Amino acid sequence: MTDSGLETAMREVEGEIRVLEEGLRAGHLPLEPAVGRALRLSNHLMLAFAQACGHAITGLDEHADPLEVFKVFVKGDPSLNAVRDNLRELVYYRNCLASGREDALPPQPLAMTVRTLRHIYLYMRTRAIKEHGLTGA
């Protein structure tokens, strides 16, 4: 692996996902903070991947608008659009919560949040293994 930053990010996010999954199983994970955390972790993954690909990520961090981070992440590689729908789902949950529209959320939004984050991670992990020689996450 040529970029240890990507490998480190993948390991960190995997650990955070496990914490979220345990909180979900234990029944003590509040929805709004979980959605925010899922978006920050998605940003962390996308930024690490973009950096490993040599894309400029100036001015963006984990707290940036996820759709802005996505634009940098996907730049030049439309096959990365596979992440887009999962990311949009998380953004939709955030927007529903921010506007007080919990009634517009799908059934079991907490479980969906954690599983959607896991899907993003698994897709990006597979790409990182294939394209960047990731072995440690």
Side-chain angles (χ1 to χ4, degrees), residues 2-97:
T2 58
D3 185 78
S4 63
L6 179 57
E7 191 166 0
T8 299
M10 296 299 286
R11 268 197 311 273
E12 290 170 354
V13 171
E14 166 66 12
E16 292 290 324
I17 292 170
R18 288 178 189 221
V19 169
L20 288 169
E21 289 170 337
E22 180 55 38
L24 179 62
R25 279 190 293 278
H28 59 69
L29 186 63
L31 178 60
E32 192 164 359
V35 170
R37 193 169 178 187
L39 286 167
R40 285 189 302 278
L41 292 170
S42 296
N43 277 355
H44 186 58
L45 283 174
M46 290 188 293
L47 290 167
F49 200 92
Q51 188 170 25
C53 293
H55 299 161
I57 58 171
T58 306
L60 296 172
D61 65 11
E62 291 180 8
H63 302 285
D65 179 338
L67 299 177
E68 291 301 316
V69 173
F70 177 77
K71 287 179 192 176
V72 172
F73 163 71
V74 77
K75 188 173 188 156
D77 189 351
S79 68
L80 293 172
N81 276 328
V83 172
R84 179 185 55 214
D85 291 338
N86 287 305
L87 186 62
R88 284 181 176 170
E89 183 174 346
L90 294 174
V91 169
Y92 174 77
Y93 295 175
R94 179 195 65 192
N95 292 346
C96 285
L97 292 167

Side-chain angles (χ1 to χ4, degrees), residues 93-110:
Y93 295 175
R94 179 195 65 192
N95 292 346
C96 285
L97 292 167
S99 63
R101 289 295 316 273
E102 290 83 1
D103 61 308
L105 291 167
Q108 300 182 335
L110 182 56

